[in-house]
Amino acid sequence: MKMAIRVFLLLFMFFSSSYPTFSLYEDQVGLMDWHQKYIGKVKHAVFHTQKAARKRVVVSTEENVVASLDLRHGEIFWRHVLGPNDVIDQIDIVLGKYVITLSSGGSILRAWNLPDGQMVWESTLIGSKPSKPLLLVPTNLKVDKDNVVFVYGNGFIHAVASVDGEVLWKKELASEGIDIHQIIYPDGSDKIYAVGFLGFSEVAAYQLNVKSGELSKPSNLLFPAGFSGDLSFVTDETAVAMDSTGTILVAIHFQDGQIRLHQTPVSQIIQDFSGTAVILSSKIPGMFILKIDSSVAFIRVINEGKLEVVDKLGHTNSISDSLPLSDSQEAFALVQHGDGKILLTVKLSGDWTSNLVEETIQMDHQRGIVDKVFINSYVRMDRSNGFRFLIVMADHSLLLLQQGEIVWSREDGLASIVDVKASELPVEKDGVSVAKVEHNLYEWLKGHLLKLKGTLMIATPDDVAAIQKIRLQSSEKSKMTRDRNGFRKLLIVLTRAGKLFALHTGDGRIVWSLLLNSLRKSEACENPRGISLHQWQDPHHHALDENPSVLVVGRCGHSLDSAGVLSIVDTYTGEERSHMGPLHSIIRIIPLPFTDSLEQRLHLLLDGNQQAHLYPRTAEALRIFQQELGNIYWYSAETNKGILRGHGVQKNCVLEETDDFCFDSRDLWSIVFPSESETIAATATRSLNEVVHTQTKVTGDQEVMYKYISKNLLFLATVAPKAGGPIGSVTPDESSLVVYVIDTVTGRILHRMTHHGSQGPLQAVFSENWIVYHYFNLRAHRYEMSVIEIYDQARADNKDVLKLVLGTHNLTSPTTAYSRPEVVTKSQSYFFTHSVKTMAVTSTAKGITSKQVLLGTIGDQVLALDKRFLDPRRTANPTQAEKEEGIIPLTDSLPIIPQSYITHSLKVEGLRGIITVPAKLESTTLVFAYGVDLFFTRLAPSRTYDSLTEDFSYALLLITIIALLVAILVTWVWSEKKELQEKWR
């Protein structure tokens, strides 16, 4: 018996000591968060398909990403995000091993190692005048044993060695007054040619020696009618341009230093021509493309500049650049659209009648039309040429097509998210399976075999990834129904392309996607773009009968005066319920705190004439709005003029046609900031749906402080006009940062504070009664973060219990924004070591949990900083009562704890925004960060005090309980036997 007890105790101690060893294994990564990598909309692509190397395509995107993609699967080999101000102009491959990128308007030339993406060298090309950036990579040209790259930018032409980036020579052309449009190097020549326009009516060509850069006497020719648009080169010696009227084509021939022109009216080669024509950018030898209304014409240039129409197509098309097949043949791809299909055709540039390839491919209409196409060739088994097509769609997705099939696709539109809203999932109904995953016997056996290999620790990296995928698919968090903790939701995201995606918070998968009809290019709306998302309908009382929906707001152009478009989309199914537009311009959208009987939220849309339009346009919504007419206020900030105004609703608009849903606005107040000393830099307001748990704050010495909480407060910051530039552009004596807290109903300034010797960039976040903002201190040469807390002094006498019993307190007295508030502010500043790109604050269901400030750092990571570190009541030597309250001793700097990075070791490249969504579980908030990459996680600022963690071992708990019960039983039996033996003695 003693031996059995000892064995039991040893086993019990073993199980007890094994509990702390449970940790996160490699195949468990991503169970509570997910990270997705993208590159954005591709604008340049260069294929590298040598037999000895891995087949890849190098691309650059509109998000300023240069990346190398696997041609077999579309995966990213490597990528680099150059930043928002370092726009990539052109890319190419030299020596078969370097990727060359030209960026920043022709100012920066870089070389990247093709296999691994490491930067080999970087050259800064300084110039005197902004100009069109051009990159020329000759095939076999060496200067002093170095392969040379020619770059034109900022008015200079540079010859750069491709091995080390050394500038061999440079020559200024901007002083000559020429606007260079093309750099040409004829094979085997010792000259390069720079061709462009002098003014609007003169064409000029410059000759430069490739070895020394010596400039020969330029050739120029006057064309009195003038030119419009760009030069389109069809050969090294011939270019085509359009005259200033858009009705005459001018063929320009360069030979032996001479320039000749040949004019051809468009009406002479194209029948029934009227209006104006535009030459489209293309690189097809001996041919150019002319756009006339909704059709395009392919025109060949023959001897002496004569023009011949090859074909005319009457619908949208995309054309690739030419691809050399042999010494004498070049091919190009033509894409035509049909009914849910695209027709891919490959033609020889010299033979329009025959087609090398003709393929028809089914295409999802939610991808829109083809925007760009890039072509690459390979040799088939029968020694004939096959072709790959890299296609960029209107929704910014990227596809590789080969042999009539889609080999792979990438949803790179998600790299350009402009707004995000969260939506609940459907309620799980009895007997109804919302989502079902079916597996056959083979998949079932395969899954169990993989799990067995993982248990035996013999799984390969691919097996580990497959095990992780199976766990994610079979886990509770991937279901398409609501969970009791509120962790499972849909993230509705709007991209710059005007496409909506619904992302599941469990694993980040795309549940549905929709390219909105209202944001598709049309004659009425030529340049549509999405602006924002707003909650339109969020049914609570009718959750089983009605689906939630969102309002999508867009514009038909880039200016604020462009016509607006609206769409209402079901968040469960992705169906577009209705769309409106083009209609009035949309400057601002104001969600109102009112809903109708269908739980549709009322919105005010302000146009360029400061008129307010009510939506939804129903009689019930109008009745609700008119009842609350006197309680609706908003503000507008004219940054360029330095004026802040407050507005209210006045009366119905006076229009030619009566519109009961249109209202004129009236100016209530204005604040004019002196232009010689202050410029508006940033504003911040409270979130409309923020929940405040309590309006009081009890200090350690039992004092009660009342928070001044108002949804009408505005935080505004101004800087000195000279301090609006980059850091270090002004001296500390010339810079200042002034912050204001303003009531937007009355225009009353509640608080004003000046930071001398400080400047932006400024980021701020406003929550409850406190504001945190980040800026740069020029005197200390460090970043700073400051906090302002606002408290209501008018309620300080409400602590008398006797007054509360007798009813003489003012807690129930009506309050108005026009009464002068008695507020007191507390503020404190701290040094901070990081630059910040964006800021957010955690939000929970009831507002009980402690707050954390989420900082998007310059390193594209997200740092969670506890609000306790930003307490203005911190002192160097806190009292015992303050220590019990939890106040941290004052230090001059804010600590950065490595474990506080919620993105861990990951980066959200190109980080632009962070949103937080409360879960039903009070301790937890959902965090979504987006940029070029996407990242999602769950955060518990005060730990999970109201639930057990997901990795809690219920099996170990059960074993422990059973072991304790067995120990009690064994001990009881042993005690009974021992007591019986003692009685017999």
Side-chain angles (χ1 to χ4, degrees), residues 183 238 367 458 599 775 799 837:
I183 302 175
T238 306
R367 296 189 183 276
I458 58 174
E599 297 184 84
Y775 55 95
K799 295 176 288 185
K837 300 170 70 173

Side-chain angles (χ1 to χ4, degrees), residues 490-636:
L490 288 179
L491 294 174
I492 312 300
V493 302
L494 174 65
T495 67
R496 194 176 66 243
K499 190 170 185 178
L500 279 181
F501 290 89
L503 307 179
H504 196 292
T505 57
D507 52 9
R509 72 181 185 275
I510 298 173
V511 178
W512 55 260
S513 61
L514 172 68
L515 186 60
L516 295 167
N517 292 322
S518 59
L519 294 179
R520 297 190 188 216
K521 190 174 181 179
S522 62
E523 294 182 2
C525 193
E526 293 189 357
N527 297 300
R529 57 189 293 265
I531 302 175
S532 58
L533 287 173
H534 303 273
Q535 193 68 47
W536 179 259
Q537 186 179 17
D538 190 7
H540 297 285
H541 303 292
H542 308 283
L544 296 176
D545 306 319
E546 297 286 342
N547 291 353
S549 57
V550 291
L551 172 67
V552 186
V553 183
R555 290 196 190 102
C556 289
H558 298 286
S559 66
L560 294 177
D561 296 331
S562 303
V565 290
L566 304 175
S567 288
I568 299 172
V569 180
D570 190 313
T571 60
Y572 286 175
T573 63
E575 295 179 0
E576 190 172 13
R577 294 182 182 176
S578 63
H579 64 271
M580 294 167 280
L583 36 84
H584 53 82
S585 61
I586 300 175
I587 304 297
R588 186 178 176 188
I589 303 96
I590 304 176
L592 301 176
F594 317 119
T595 57
D596 59 14
S597 58
L598 298 177
E599 297 184 84
Q600 295 180 134
R601 190 165 187 172
L602 275 61
H603 293 75
L604 271 186
L605 274 62
L606 306 180
D607 62 15
N609 299 321
Q610 286 299 314
Q611 292 177 333
H613 302 264
L614 177 65
Y615 290 88
R617 299 171 67 87
T618 62
E620 182 187 7
L622 183 60
R623 178 178 53 81
I624 296 172
F625 180 75
Q626 288 176 339
Q627 291 174 353
E628 301 290 342
L629 202 63
N631 297 323
I632 297 173
Y633 303 90
W634 67 90
Y635 74 93
S636 63

Side-chain angles (χ1 to χ4, degrees), residues 135-149:
L135 174 66
L136 176 64
V137 181
T139 306
N140 293 309
L141 174 62
K142 291 188 177 183
V143 175
D144 297 332
K145 298 182 181 181
D146 286 327
N147 286 75
V148 179
V149 175

